[in-house]
Short mmCIF file of all heavy atoms in Angstrom, two decimals:
data_model
loop_
_atom_site.label_atom_id
_atom_site.label_comp_id
_atom_site.label_asym_id
_atom_site.label_seq_id
_atom_site.Cartn_x
_atom_site.Cartn_y
_atom_site.Cartn_z
N SER A 1 0.82 -1.20 0.00
CA SER A 1 0.00 0.00 0.00
C SER A 1 0.86 1.26 0.00
O SER A 1 0.35 2.35 -0.25
CB SER A 1 -0.94 0.01 1.22
OG SER A 1 -0.18 0.19 2.41
N LEU A 2 2.15 1.13 0.30
CA LEU A 2 3.04 2.29 0.31
C LEU A 2 3.23 2.80 -1.11
O LEU A 2 3.37 2.02 -2.05
CB LEU A 2 4.39 1.93 0.92
CG LEU A 2 4.38 1.52 2.38
CD1 LEU A 2 5.78 1.10 2.81
CD2 LEU A 2 3.88 2.66 3.25
N GLN A 3 3.23 4.12 -1.25
CA GLN A 3 3.44 4.72 -2.55
C GLN A 3 4.50 5.79 -2.45
O GLN A 3 4.69 6.40 -1.39
CB GLN A 3 2.14 5.33 -3.08
CG GLN A 3 1.09 4.29 -3.34
CD GLN A 3 -0.16 4.89 -3.96
OE1 GLN A 3 -0.15 6.01 -4.44
NE2 GLN A 3 -1.23 4.13 -3.98
N CYS A 4 5.21 6.01 -3.55
CA CYS A 4 6.19 7.09 -3.59
C CYS A 4 6.29 7.58 -5.03
O CYS A 4 5.84 6.91 -5.96
CB CYS A 4 7.55 6.63 -3.06
SG CYS A 4 8.37 5.38 -4.04
N SER A 5 6.90 8.72 -5.20
CA SER A 5 7.09 9.26 -6.55
C SER A 5 8.19 8.48 -7.25
O SER A 5 8.98 7.78 -6.62
CB SER A 5 7.46 10.74 -6.47
OG SER A 5 8.77 10.88 -5.92
N ILE A 6 8.28 8.62 -8.55
CA ILE A 6 9.33 7.94 -9.31
C ILE A 6 10.70 8.46 -8.88
O ILE A 6 11.67 7.71 -8.84
CB ILE A 6 9.09 8.06 -10.83
CG1 ILE A 6 9.97 7.08 -11.61
CG2 ILE A 6 9.31 9.48 -11.31
CD1 ILE A 6 9.55 5.65 -11.51
N GLU A 7 10.78 9.73 -8.52
CA GLU A 7 12.06 10.29 -8.05
C GLU A 7 12.48 9.65 -6.73
O GLU A 7 13.66 9.32 -6.55
CB GLU A 7 11.96 11.81 -7.89
CG GLU A 7 11.79 12.58 -9.19
CD GLU A 7 10.35 12.61 -9.71
OE1 GLU A 7 9.41 12.22 -8.95
OE2 GLU A 7 10.16 13.00 -10.87
N GLU A 8 11.53 9.47 -5.82
CA GLU A 8 11.83 8.80 -4.55
C GLU A 8 12.24 7.35 -4.79
O GLU A 8 13.17 6.84 -4.16
CB GLU A 8 10.62 8.84 -3.61
CG GLU A 8 10.28 10.22 -3.11
CD GLU A 8 8.95 10.25 -2.38
OE1 GLU A 8 7.95 9.73 -2.92
OE2 GLU A 8 8.92 10.78 -1.26
N LEU A 9 11.57 6.70 -5.72
CA LEU A 9 11.90 5.32 -6.07
C LEU A 9 13.31 5.23 -6.63
O LEU A 9 14.08 4.35 -6.25
CB LEU A 9 10.88 4.76 -7.06
CG LEU A 9 11.13 3.33 -7.52
CD1 LEU A 9 11.10 2.37 -6.32
CD2 LEU A 9 10.11 2.93 -8.55
N HIS A 10 13.66 6.15 -7.53
CA HIS A 10 15.01 6.15 -8.11
C HIS A 10 16.06 6.36 -7.01
O HIS A 10 17.12 5.71 -7.03
CB HIS A 10 15.14 7.22 -9.18
CG HIS A 10 14.42 6.88 -10.44
ND1 HIS A 10 14.20 7.80 -11.43
CD2 HIS A 10 13.85 5.73 -10.87
CE1 HIS A 10 13.54 7.23 -12.42
NE2 HIS A 10 13.31 5.97 -12.10
N PHE A 11 15.78 7.22 -6.05
CA PHE A 11 16.70 7.45 -4.94
C PHE A 11 16.88 6.16 -4.13
O PHE A 11 18.00 5.77 -3.79
CB PHE A 11 16.18 8.58 -4.04
CG PHE A 11 17.04 8.84 -2.86
CD1 PHE A 11 18.26 9.50 -2.99
CD2 PHE A 11 16.65 8.42 -1.59
CE1 PHE A 11 19.07 9.74 -1.89
CE2 PHE A 11 17.46 8.65 -0.49
CZ PHE A 11 18.66 9.31 -0.64
N LYS A 12 15.78 5.46 -3.86
CA LYS A 12 15.86 4.20 -3.11
C LYS A 12 16.60 3.13 -3.90
O LYS A 12 17.38 2.36 -3.34
CB LYS A 12 14.45 3.71 -2.75
CG LYS A 12 13.78 4.59 -1.72
CD LYS A 12 12.37 4.15 -1.44
CE LYS A 12 11.72 5.13 -0.49
NZ LYS A 12 10.71 4.55 0.33
N MET A 13 16.37 3.08 -5.21
CA MET A 13 17.05 2.09 -6.04
C MET A 13 18.55 2.38 -6.09
O MET A 13 19.36 1.45 -6.08
CB MET A 13 16.44 2.05 -7.44
CG MET A 13 15.02 1.52 -7.46
SD MET A 13 14.27 1.22 -9.10
CE MET A 13 14.67 2.64 -10.05
N LEU A 14 18.92 3.65 -6.13
CA LEU A 14 20.34 4.01 -6.13
C LEU A 14 21.00 3.59 -4.81
O LEU A 14 22.10 3.05 -4.81
CB LEU A 14 20.52 5.51 -6.37
CG LEU A 14 21.97 6.00 -6.42
CD1 LEU A 14 22.76 5.29 -7.52
CD2 LEU A 14 22.00 7.51 -6.61
N LYS A 15 20.31 3.83 -3.69
CA LYS A 15 20.85 3.38 -2.40
C LYS A 15 21.01 1.86 -2.38
O LYS A 15 22.01 1.34 -1.87
CB LYS A 15 19.93 3.83 -1.27
CG LYS A 15 20.04 5.30 -0.92
CD LYS A 15 19.10 5.71 0.18
CE LYS A 15 19.40 4.97 1.47
NZ LYS A 15 18.58 5.45 2.60
N MET A 16 20.05 1.15 -2.94
CA MET A 16 20.12 -0.30 -3.00
C MET A 16 21.31 -0.74 -3.86
O MET A 16 22.08 -1.62 -3.46
CB MET A 16 18.82 -0.87 -3.57
CG MET A 16 18.80 -2.37 -3.61
SD MET A 16 17.29 -3.03 -4.35
CE MET A 16 17.53 -2.60 -6.05
N LEU A 17 21.48 -0.10 -5.02
CA LEU A 17 22.59 -0.43 -5.90
C LEU A 17 23.93 -0.21 -5.20
O LEU A 17 24.86 -1.02 -5.33
CB LEU A 17 22.54 0.41 -7.17
CG LEU A 17 21.77 -0.17 -8.34
CD1 LEU A 17 21.66 0.86 -9.46
CD2 LEU A 17 22.42 -1.43 -8.85
N LYS A 18 24.04 0.88 -4.46
CA LYS A 18 25.29 1.16 -3.75
C LYS A 18 25.56 0.10 -2.69
O LYS A 18 26.71 -0.33 -2.52
CB LYS A 18 25.24 2.55 -3.11
CG LYS A 18 25.35 3.67 -4.13
CD LYS A 18 25.29 5.04 -3.46
CE LYS A 18 25.48 6.15 -4.47
NZ LYS A 18 25.46 7.48 -3.85
N SER A 19 24.54 -0.34 -2.00
CA SER A 19 24.71 -1.40 -1.00
C SER A 19 25.14 -2.71 -1.65
O SER A 19 26.03 -3.41 -1.16
CB SER A 19 23.41 -1.62 -0.21
OG SER A 19 23.09 -0.47 0.53
N ILE A 20 24.51 -3.04 -2.77
CA ILE A 20 24.87 -4.26 -3.49
C ILE A 20 26.30 -4.16 -4.01
O ILE A 20 27.07 -5.12 -3.92
CB ILE A 20 23.87 -4.52 -4.64
CG1 ILE A 20 22.50 -4.89 -4.06
CG2 ILE A 20 24.38 -5.60 -5.59
CD1 ILE A 20 21.38 -4.90 -5.06
N ASP A 21 26.67 -2.99 -4.51
CA ASP A 21 28.04 -2.79 -4.99
C ASP A 21 29.05 -3.01 -3.87
O ASP A 21 30.08 -3.66 -4.07
CB ASP A 21 28.19 -1.39 -5.58
CG ASP A 21 29.59 -1.13 -6.09
OD1 ASP A 21 30.00 -1.79 -7.07
OD2 ASP A 21 30.30 -0.29 -5.48
N GLU A 22 28.76 -2.49 -2.68
CA GLU A 22 29.67 -2.68 -1.54
C GLU A 22 29.84 -4.16 -1.22
O GLU A 22 30.96 -4.63 -0.99
CB GLU A 22 29.15 -1.94 -0.31
CG GLU A 22 29.26 -0.44 -0.40
CD GLU A 22 28.61 0.27 0.78
OE1 GLU A 22 28.39 -0.38 1.83
OE2 GLU A 22 28.34 1.47 0.65
N VAL A 23 28.74 -4.90 -1.17
CA VAL A 23 28.80 -6.34 -0.87
C VAL A 23 29.61 -7.05 -1.95
O VAL A 23 30.47 -7.90 -1.65
CB VAL A 23 27.39 -6.94 -0.75
CG1 VAL A 23 27.43 -8.46 -0.73
CG2 VAL A 23 26.69 -6.41 0.49
N CYS A 24 29.36 -6.71 -3.19
CA CYS A 24 30.06 -7.38 -4.30
C CYS A 24 31.55 -7.06 -4.28
O CYS A 24 32.38 -7.95 -4.48
CB CYS A 24 29.44 -6.99 -5.64
SG CYS A 24 27.80 -7.72 -5.90
N ARG A 25 31.91 -5.83 -4.01
CA ARG A 25 33.33 -5.47 -3.94
C ARG A 25 34.03 -6.19 -2.80
O ARG A 25 35.12 -6.72 -2.96
CB ARG A 25 33.50 -3.97 -3.81
CG ARG A 25 33.20 -3.21 -5.07
CD ARG A 25 33.32 -1.70 -4.87
NE ARG A 25 32.85 -0.98 -6.01
CZ ARG A 25 33.64 -0.61 -7.03
NH1 ARG A 25 34.92 -0.90 -7.01
NH2 ARG A 25 33.13 0.06 -8.04
N ARG A 26 33.39 -6.20 -1.62
CA ARG A 26 33.96 -6.86 -0.44
C ARG A 26 34.20 -8.34 -0.67
O ARG A 26 35.15 -8.92 -0.15
CB ARG A 26 33.03 -6.69 0.75
CG ARG A 26 33.56 -5.87 1.86
CD ARG A 26 32.74 -5.91 3.13
NE ARG A 26 31.32 -6.12 3.07
CZ ARG A 26 30.41 -5.15 3.00
NH1 ARG A 26 30.78 -3.88 2.95
NH2 ARG A 26 29.14 -5.44 2.97
N ASN A 27 33.33 -8.97 -1.45
CA ASN A 27 33.39 -10.41 -1.65
C ASN A 27 33.90 -10.82 -3.03
O ASN A 27 33.80 -11.98 -3.40
CB ASN A 27 31.99 -11.01 -1.42
CG ASN A 27 31.59 -10.92 0.02
OD1 ASN A 27 32.00 -11.73 0.84
ND2 ASN A 27 30.79 -9.91 0.36
N GLU A 28 34.43 -9.85 -3.77
CA GLU A 28 34.98 -10.10 -5.11
C GLU A 28 33.96 -10.81 -6.00
O GLU A 28 34.26 -11.82 -6.65
CB GLU A 28 36.29 -10.88 -5.02
CG GLU A 28 37.36 -10.11 -4.28
CD GLU A 28 38.68 -10.87 -4.19
OE1 GLU A 28 38.75 -12.04 -4.63
OE2 GLU A 28 39.64 -10.27 -3.67
N ILE A 29 32.75 -10.26 -6.01
CA ILE A 29 31.66 -10.79 -6.83
C ILE A 29 31.50 -9.89 -8.05
O ILE A 29 31.32 -8.68 -7.91
CB ILE A 29 30.35 -10.85 -6.01
CG1 ILE A 29 30.50 -11.85 -4.86
CG2 ILE A 29 29.17 -11.19 -6.91
CD1 ILE A 29 29.36 -11.84 -3.87
N ARG A 30 31.60 -10.48 -9.20
CA ARG A 30 31.44 -9.72 -10.45
C ARG A 30 29.96 -9.56 -10.77
O ARG A 30 29.18 -10.50 -10.62
CB ARG A 30 32.13 -10.45 -11.61
CG ARG A 30 33.62 -10.61 -11.42
CD ARG A 30 34.19 -11.59 -12.41
NE ARG A 30 33.62 -12.91 -12.13
CZ ARG A 30 33.67 -13.94 -12.94
NH1 ARG A 30 34.26 -13.84 -14.12
NH2 ARG A 30 33.14 -15.11 -12.61
N TYR A 31 29.59 -8.36 -11.20
CA TYR A 31 28.21 -8.11 -11.62
C TYR A 31 28.24 -7.00 -12.66
O TYR A 31 29.24 -6.30 -12.82
CB TYR A 31 27.32 -7.72 -10.44
CG TYR A 31 27.50 -6.31 -9.97
CD1 TYR A 31 26.68 -5.28 -10.45
CD2 TYR A 31 28.51 -5.97 -9.08
CE1 TYR A 31 26.85 -3.98 -10.04
CE2 TYR A 31 28.69 -4.68 -8.66
CZ TYR A 31 27.87 -3.68 -9.14
OH TYR A 31 28.05 -2.38 -8.74
N PHE A 32 27.14 -6.85 -13.35
CA PHE A 32 27.03 -5.76 -14.32
C PHE A 32 25.57 -5.36 -14.45
O PHE A 32 24.66 -6.13 -14.15
CB PHE A 32 27.63 -6.14 -15.69
CG PHE A 32 27.10 -7.42 -16.27
CD1 PHE A 32 26.03 -7.40 -17.15
CD2 PHE A 32 27.68 -8.64 -15.94
CE1 PHE A 32 25.54 -8.59 -17.70
CE2 PHE A 32 27.20 -9.83 -16.49
CZ PHE A 32 26.13 -9.80 -17.37
N LEU A 33 25.38 -4.14 -14.85
CA LEU A 33 24.03 -3.64 -15.14
C LEU A 33 23.63 -4.11 -16.53
O LEU A 33 24.48 -4.26 -17.40
CB LEU A 33 24.01 -2.11 -15.10
CG LEU A 33 24.52 -1.44 -13.81
CD1 LEU A 33 24.45 0.07 -13.96
CD2 LEU A 33 23.75 -1.92 -12.60
N PHE A 34 22.35 -4.30 -16.73
CA PHE A 34 21.88 -4.63 -18.08
C PHE A 34 20.46 -4.12 -18.26
O PHE A 34 19.89 -3.50 -17.37
CB PHE A 34 22.01 -6.14 -18.37
CG PHE A 34 20.97 -7.02 -17.73
CD1 PHE A 34 20.03 -7.68 -18.50
CD2 PHE A 34 20.95 -7.20 -16.36
CE1 PHE A 34 19.09 -8.50 -17.91
CE2 PHE A 34 20.01 -8.04 -15.76
CZ PHE A 34 19.07 -8.68 -16.55
N ASP A 35 19.91 -4.35 -19.43
CA ASP A 35 18.57 -3.90 -19.81
C ASP A 35 18.38 -2.41 -19.52
O ASP A 35 19.26 -1.61 -19.78
CB ASP A 35 17.50 -4.75 -19.12
CG ASP A 35 17.36 -6.15 -19.72
OD1 ASP A 35 17.93 -6.39 -20.81
OD2 ASP A 35 16.69 -7.00 -19.12
N GLY A 36 17.24 -2.05 -18.96
CA GLY A 36 16.91 -0.63 -18.76
C GLY A 36 17.86 0.09 -17.82
O GLY A 36 18.11 1.28 -17.98
N THR A 37 18.42 -0.61 -16.86
CA THR A 37 19.35 0.03 -15.92
C THR A 37 20.63 0.44 -16.64
O THR A 37 21.14 1.54 -16.42
CB THR A 37 19.66 -0.91 -14.74
OG1 THR A 37 18.42 -1.28 -14.12
CG2 THR A 37 20.55 -0.24 -13.72
N LEU A 38 21.13 -0.41 -17.50
CA LEU A 38 22.32 -0.07 -18.29
C LEU A 38 22.00 1.06 -19.26
O LEU A 38 22.77 2.02 -19.37
CB LEU A 38 22.83 -1.30 -19.04
CG LEU A 38 24.03 -1.06 -19.96
CD1 LEU A 38 25.23 -0.53 -19.18
CD2 LEU A 38 24.39 -2.35 -20.68
N LEU A 39 20.88 0.96 -19.94
CA LEU A 39 20.47 2.01 -20.88
C LEU A 39 20.35 3.35 -20.16
O LEU A 39 20.84 4.38 -20.65
CB LEU A 39 19.15 1.64 -21.55
CG LEU A 39 18.61 2.65 -22.56
CD1 LEU A 39 19.57 2.81 -23.73
CD2 LEU A 39 17.24 2.21 -23.06
N GLY A 40 19.73 3.35 -18.99
CA GLY A 40 19.59 4.58 -18.23
C GLY A 40 20.93 5.15 -17.81
O GLY A 40 21.15 6.37 -17.88
N ALA A 41 21.85 4.30 -17.38
CA ALA A 41 23.17 4.76 -16.95
C ALA A 41 23.91 5.42 -18.10
O ALA A 41 24.55 6.47 -17.93
CB ALA A 41 23.98 3.59 -16.40
N VAL A 42 23.80 4.85 -19.30
CA VAL A 42 24.52 5.38 -20.45
C VAL A 42 23.79 6.58 -21.06
O VAL A 42 24.37 7.65 -21.24
CB VAL A 42 24.72 4.28 -21.52
CG1 VAL A 42 25.30 4.85 -22.80
CG2 VAL A 42 25.62 3.17 -20.96
N ARG A 43 22.51 6.42 -21.34
CA ARG A 43 21.77 7.44 -22.07
C ARG A 43 21.32 8.61 -21.19
O ARG A 43 21.32 9.76 -21.63
CB ARG A 43 20.55 6.81 -22.75
CG ARG A 43 19.83 7.77 -23.70
CD ARG A 43 18.79 7.08 -24.53
NE ARG A 43 17.67 6.66 -23.71
CZ ARG A 43 16.67 5.90 -24.15
NH1 ARG A 43 16.66 5.46 -25.39
NH2 ARG A 43 15.69 5.56 -23.36
N HIS A 44 20.96 8.32 -19.92
CA HIS A 44 20.41 9.36 -19.06
C HIS A 44 21.35 9.74 -17.91
O HIS A 44 21.01 10.59 -17.10
CB HIS A 44 19.07 8.89 -18.47
CG HIS A 44 18.02 8.64 -19.51
ND1 HIS A 44 17.24 9.63 -20.05
CD2 HIS A 44 17.65 7.49 -20.13
CE1 HIS A 44 16.41 9.12 -20.94
NE2 HIS A 44 16.65 7.81 -21.01
N HIS A 45 22.49 9.08 -17.85
CA HIS A 45 23.43 9.29 -16.75
C HIS A 45 22.73 9.11 -15.40
O HIS A 45 22.95 9.85 -14.46
CB HIS A 45 24.10 10.67 -16.85
CG HIS A 45 24.75 10.89 -18.17
ND1 HIS A 45 25.91 10.26 -18.55
CD2 HIS A 45 24.37 11.64 -19.23
CE1 HIS A 45 26.23 10.63 -19.77
NE2 HIS A 45 25.30 11.46 -20.22
#
């Protein structure tokens, strides 16, 4: 039932990505962005 704006959602997703990146770096886990997330990173920064 919780709702938020797309901007708030993007902020939460960025925080989540940063947390995942930290875990992956600490544990030497390779990962990459793909699909819309990769497109957004390249096309929309």
